[in-house]
Coordinates of all heavy atoms in Angstrom, one line a residue:
K30 N 19.9 -21.6 -18.4 CA 21.3 -22.1 -18.4 C 22.3 -21.0 -18.5 O 23.3 -20.9 -17.9 CB 21.5 -23.1 -19.5 CG 23.0 -23.6 -19.5 CD 23.2 -24.7 -20.4 CE 24.6 -25.3 -20.5 NZ 25.7 -24.6 -19.8
G31 N 22.0 -20.0 -19.4 CA 22.8 -18.9 -19.6 C 23.0 -18.0 -18.4 O 24.1 -17.6 -18.0
L32 N 21.8 -17.8 -17.7 CA 21.8 -17.1 -16.4 C 22.6 -17.8 -15.4 O 23.5 -17.2 -14.7 CB 20.4 -16.8 -16.0 CG 20.2 -16.2 -14.6 CD1 20.8 -14.8 -14.6 CD2 18.8 -16.1 -14.2
T33 N 22.4 -19.1 -15.3 CA 23.2 -19.9 -14.3 C 24.7 -19.9 -14.5 O 25.5 -19.7 -13.6 CB 22.6 -21.3 -14.3 OG1 21.2 -21.3 -14.1 CG2 23.3 -22.2 -13.2
D34 N 25.1 -20.0 -15.8 CA 26.5 -20.0 -16.1 C 27.1 -18.6 -15.8 O 28.2 -18.5 -15.3 CB 26.7 -20.3 -17.6 CG 26.4 -21.7 -18.0 OD1 26.3 -22.6 -17.0 OD2 26.3 -22.0 -19.2
H35 N 26.3 -17.6 -16.1 CA 26.8 -16.2 -15.8 C 27.0 -16.0 -14.3 O 28.1 -15.5 -13.9 CB 25.8 -15.2 -16.4 CG 26.1 -13.8 -16.2 ND1 27.0 -13.1 -17.0 CD2 25.6 -12.9 -15.3 CE1 27.1 -11.9 -16.5 NE2 26.3 -11.7 -15.5
V36 N 26.0 -16.3 -13.6 CA 26.0 -16.1 -12.1 C 27.1 -17.0 -11.5 O 27.9 -16.5 -10.6 CB 24.7 -16.3 -11.5 CG1 24.8 -16.3 -9.9 CG2 23.7 -15.3 -11.9
L37 N 27.2 -18.2 -11.9 CA 28.2 -19.1 -11.3 C 29.6 -18.6 -11.6 O 30.5 -18.7 -10.7 CB 28.0 -20.5 -11.9 CG 28.9 -21.6 -11.4 CD1 28.7 -21.8 -9.9 CD2 28.6 -23.0 -12.1
C38 N 29.8 -18.1 -12.8 CA 31.2 -17.6 -13.1 C 31.5 -16.4 -12.2 O 32.6 -16.4 -11.7 CB 31.2 -17.2 -14.6 SG 32.8 -16.5 -15.1
H39 N 30.6 -15.5 -12.1 CA 30.9 -14.3 -11.3 C 31.0 -14.7 -9.8 O 31.9 -14.1 -9.1 CB 29.8 -13.3 -11.4 CG 29.9 -12.5 -12.7 ND1 30.9 -11.6 -12.9 CD2 29.0 -12.4 -13.7 CE1 30.7 -11.1 -14.1 NE2 29.6 -11.5 -14.6
T40 N 30.3 -15.7 -9.4 CA 30.4 -16.1 -8.0 C 31.8 -16.8 -7.7 O 32.4 -16.5 -6.7 CB 29.3 -17.2 -7.7 OG1 28.0 -16.6 -7.9 CG2 29.4 -17.6 -6.2
S41 N 32.3 -17.5 -8.7 CA 33.6 -18.2 -8.5 C 34.8 -17.2 -8.7 O 35.9 -17.5 -8.3 CB 33.7 -19.4 -9.4 OG 33.7 -19.0 -10.8
C42 N 34.5 -16.0 -9.3 CA 35.6 -15.1 -9.6 C 36.1 -14.3 -8.3 O 37.2 -13.8 -8.3 CB 35.2 -14.1 -10.6 SG 35.2 -14.7 -12.3
G43 N 35.2 -14.2 -7.4 CA 35.6 -13.4 -6.2 C 35.9 -12.0 -6.6 O 35.1 -11.3 -7.2
K44 N 37.1 -11.5 -6.2 CA 37.4 -10.1 -6.4 C 38.4 -10.0 -7.6 O 39.0 -8.9 -7.9 CB 38.1 -9.5 -5.2 CG 37.1 -9.4 -4.1 CD 37.7 -8.7 -2.9 CE 36.7 -8.6 -1.8 NZ 36.6 -7.4 -1.1
D45 N 38.5 -11.0 -8.4 CA 39.4 -11.0 -9.6 C 38.7 -10.4 -10.8 O 37.9 -11.0 -11.4 CB 39.8 -12.5 -9.9 CG 40.8 -12.6 -11.1 OD1 41.0 -11.6 -11.8 OD2 41.3 -13.7 -11.3
S46 N 39.0 -9.1 -11.0 CA 38.3 -8.4 -12.1 C 38.6 -9.0 -13.5 O 37.7 -8.9 -14.3 CB 38.7 -6.9 -12.0 OG 40.0 -6.7 -12.2
A47 N 39.8 -9.5 -13.7 CA 40.1 -10.1 -15.0 C 39.2 -11.3 -15.2 O 38.7 -11.6 -16.3 CB 41.6 -10.5 -15.1
C48 N 39.0 -12.1 -14.2 CA 38.1 -13.2 -14.3 C 36.7 -12.8 -14.6 O 36.0 -13.4 -15.4 CB 38.1 -14.0 -12.9 SG 37.0 -15.4 -12.9
H49 N 36.2 -11.8 -13.9 CA 34.8 -11.3 -14.2 C 34.7 -10.9 -15.7 O 33.6 -11.1 -16.2 CB 34.5 -10.1 -13.3 CG 34.2 -10.5 -11.9 ND1 33.0 -11.1 -11.5 CD2 35.0 -10.3 -10.7 CE1 33.1 -11.3 -10.2 NE2 34.2 -10.8 -9.7
R50 N 35.7 -10.3 -16.3 CA 35.6 -9.9 -17.7 C 35.5 -11.1 -18.6 O 35.0 -11.0 -19.7 CB 36.8 -9.0 -18.1 CG 36.7 -7.6 -17.5 CD 37.7 -6.7 -18.1 NE 39.1 -7.0 -17.8 CZ 39.7 -6.7 -16.7 NH1 39.1 -5.9 -15.8 NH2 41.0 -7.0 -16.4
T51 N 35.9 -12.3 -18.2 CA 35.8 -13.5 -19.0 C 34.5 -14.2 -18.9 O 34.3 -15.2 -19.6 CB 37.0 -14.4 -18.8 OG1 36.9 -14.9 -17.4 CG2 38.4 -13.7 -18.9
C52 N 33.7 -13.8 -17.9 CA 32.4 -14.5 -17.7 C 31.5 -14.4 -18.9 O 31.5 -13.4 -19.6 CB 31.7 -14.0 -16.5 SG 32.5 -14.5 -14.9
P53 N 30.8 -15.5 -19.2 CA 29.9 -15.4 -20.4 C 28.8 -14.3 -20.2 O 28.4 -14.0 -19.0 CB 29.2 -16.8 -20.4 CG 29.3 -17.3 -19.0 CD 30.6 -16.7 -18.4
G54 N 28.5 -13.7 -21.2 CA 27.5 -12.6 -21.2 C 26.1 -13.1 -20.8 O 25.8 -14.2 -21.0
A55 N 25.4 -12.3 -20.1 CA 24.0 -12.6 -19.7 C 23.1 -11.8 -20.6 O 23.5 -11.0 -21.4 CB 23.8 -12.3 -18.2
V56 N 21.8 -12.0 -20.4 CA 20.8 -11.4 -21.3 C 20.3 -10.1 -20.6 O 19.3 -9.5 -21.0 CB 19.7 -12.3 -21.6 CG1 20.2 -13.4 -22.5 CG2 19.0 -12.8 -20.4
W57 N 21.0 -9.6 -19.5 CA 20.5 -8.5 -18.7 C 20.3 -7.2 -19.6 O 19.4 -6.5 -19.4 CB 21.3 -8.2 -17.5 CG 21.3 -9.3 -16.5 CD1 22.3 -10.0 -16.0 CD2 20.1 -9.8 -15.8 NE1 21.9 -10.9 -15.1 CE2 20.6 -10.8 -14.9 CE3 18.8 -9.5 -15.9 CZ2 19.7 -11.5 -14.1 CZ3 17.9 -10.2 -15.0 CH2 18.4 -11.2 -14.2
A58 N 21.3 -7.0 -20.4 CA 21.2 -5.7 -21.2 C 20.0 -5.7 -22.1 O 19.2 -4.7 -22.1 CB 22.5 -5.5 -22.1
S59 N 19.7 -6.8 -22.8 CA 18.5 -6.8 -23.6 C 17.2 -6.8 -22.7 O 16.2 -6.2 -23.1 CB 18.5 -8.0 -24.6 OG 18.5 -9.2 -23.9
K60 N 17.3 -7.5 -21.6 CA 16.2 -7.5 -20.7 C 15.9 -6.2 -20.1 O 14.7 -5.7 -20.0 CB 16.4 -8.5 -19.6 CG 16.5 -10.0 -20.0 CD 15.2 -10.6 -20.0 CE 15.3 -12.1 -20.3 NZ 14.0 -12.7 -20.5
Q61 N 17.0 -5.4 -19.8 CA 16.8 -4.1 -19.3 C 16.1 -3.2 -20.3 O 15.2 -2.4 -20.0 CB 18.1 -3.5 -18.8 CG 18.0 -2.1 -18.2 CD 19.3 -1.6 -17.7 OE1 20.4 -2.1 -18.0 NE2 19.2 -0.5 -16.9
A62 N 16.5 -3.3 -21.5 CA 15.9 -2.5 -22.6 C 14.5 -2.8 -22.7 O 13.6 -1.9 -22.9 CB 16.7 -2.7 -23.9
Q63 N 14.1 -4.1 -22.7 CA 12.7 -4.5 -22.7 C 11.9 -4.0 -21.6 O 10.8 -3.5 -21.7 CB 12.6 -6.1 -22.7 CG 13.1 -6.7 -24.0 CD 13.1 -8.2 -24.0 OE1 13.1 -8.8 -22.9 NE2 13.2 -8.8 -25.1
C64 N 12.6 -4.0 -20.4 CA 11.9 -3.5 -19.2 C 11.6 -2.0 -19.3 O 10.5 -1.5 -19.0 CB 12.7 -3.7 -17.9 SG 12.6 -5.4 -17.3
E65 N 12.6 -1.2 -19.8 CA 12.4 0.2 -20.0 C 11.2 0.5 -21.0 O 10.4 1.3 -20.7 CB 13.7 0.9 -20.4 CG 14.7 0.9 -19.3 CD 16.1 1.3 -19.8 OE1 16.2 1.6 -21.0 OE2 17.0 1.3 -19.0
T66 N 11.2 -0.2 -22.1 CA 10.1 -0.1 -23.0 C 8.8 -0.4 -22.4 O 7.8 0.3 -22.5 CB 10.3 -1.0 -24.3 OG1 11.6 -0.6 -24.8 CG2 9.2 -0.8 -25.3
Y67 N 8.8 -1.5 -21.7 CA 7.5 -2.0 -21.0 C 7.0 -1.0 -20.0 O 5.9 -0.6 -20.0 CB 7.8 -3.4 -20.4 CG 6.6 -3.9 -19.6 CD1 5.6 -4.5 -20.2 CD2 6.6 -3.7 -18.2 CE1 4.5 -5.0 -19.5 CE2 5.5 -4.2 -17.4 CZ 4.5 -4.8 -18.1 OH 3.4 -5.3 -17.3
D68 N 8.0 -0.5 -19.2 CA 7.6 0.5 -18.2 C 7.0 1.8 -18.8 O 6.1 2.3 -18.3 CB 8.8 0.8 -17.3 CG 9.2 -0.3 -16.3 OD1 8.4 -1.2 -16.1 OD2 10.3 -0.3 -15.8
Q69 N 7.7 2.2 -19.9 CA 7.2 3.4 -20.6 C 5.7 3.2 -21.1 O 4.9 4.1 -21.0 CB 8.1 3.8 -21.7 CG 9.4 4.3 -21.2 CD 10.4 4.5 -22.4 OE1 10.1 4.1 -23.5 NE2 11.6 4.9 -22.1
M70 N 5.5 2.0 -21.7 CA 4.2 1.7 -22.2 C 3.2 1.6 -21.1 O 2.1 2.2 -21.3 CB 4.3 0.3 -23.0 CG 3.0 -0.1 -23.6 SD 3.1 -1.8 -24.2 CE 3.2 -2.7 -22.7
V71 N 3.5 1.0 -20.0 CA 2.5 0.8 -18.9 C 2.2 2.2 -18.3 O 1.0 2.5 -18.1 CB 3.0 -0.1 -17.9 CG1 2.2 -0.1 -16.6 CG2 3.1 -1.6 -18.4
A72 N 3.2 3.0 -18.1 CA 3.0 4.4 -17.5 C 2.1 5.2 -18.4 O 1.2 5.9 -18.0 CB 4.4 5.1 -17.3
C73 N 2.3 5.1 -19.7 CA 1.5 5.9 -20.7 C 0.1 5.4 -20.6 O -0.8 6.2 -20.5 CB 2.1 5.7 -22.1 SG 1.1 6.6 -23.3
H74 N -0.2 4.1 -20.7 CA -1.5 3.6 -20.6 C -2.2 3.9 -19.3 O -3.4 4.3 -19.3 CB -1.6 2.1 -20.9 CG -1.4 1.7 -22.3 ND1 -2.3 2.1 -23.3 CD2 -0.3 1.1 -22.9 CE1 -1.8 1.6 -24.5 NE2 -0.7 1.0 -24.3
K75 N -1.5 3.9 -18.2 CA -2.1 4.2 -16.9 C -2.5 5.7 -16.8 O -3.5 6.0 -16.2 CB -1.1 3.9 -15.8 CG -1.0 2.5 -15.4 CD -0.1 2.2 -14.2 CE -0.1 0.8 -13.8 NZ 0.8 0.5 -12.7
S76 N -1.8 6.5 -17.5 CA -2.1 8.0 -17.5 C -3.2 8.4 -18.4 O -3.7 9.5 -18.4 CB -0.8 8.8 -17.7 OG -0.4 8.7 -19.1
C77 N -3.6 7.5 -19.3 CA -4.6 7.8 -20.4 C -6.0 7.8 -19.9 O -6.8 8.4 -20.6 CB -4.4 6.9 -21.6 SG -3.0 7.3 -22.6
G78 N -6.3 7.1 -18.9 CA -7.7 7.0 -18.5 C -8.6 6.3 -19.6 O -8.2 5.3 -20.1
Y79 N -9.6 7.0 -20.0 CA -10.5 6.5 -21.0 C -10.3 7.1 -22.4 O -11.2 7.0 -23.3 CB -12.0 6.6 -20.6 CG -12.3 5.8 -19.4 CD1 -12.4 6.4 -18.1 CD2 -12.5 4.4 -19.5 CE1 -12.7 5.6 -17.0 CE2 -12.8 3.7 -18.3 CZ -12.9 4.3 -17.1 OH -13.1 3.5 -16.0

Side-chain angles (χ1 to χ4, degrees):
K30 181 174 179 351
L32 174 63
T33 304
D34 291 347
H35 178 80
V36 170
L37 185 61
C38 180
H39 282 296
T40 302
S41 63
C42 283
K44 294 184 182 226
D45 182 350
S46 58
C48 177
H49 284 287
R50 286 192 294 275
T51 65
C52 287
V56 296
W57 292 122
S59 65
K60 295 269 187 191
Q61 182 178 11
Q63 289 174 340
C64 281
E65 289 170 2
T66 302
Y67 176 80
D68 289 343
Q69 290 169 359
M70 180 187 71
V71 169
C73 181
H74 284 293
K75 282 184 177 181
S76 69
C77 283
Y79 294 102

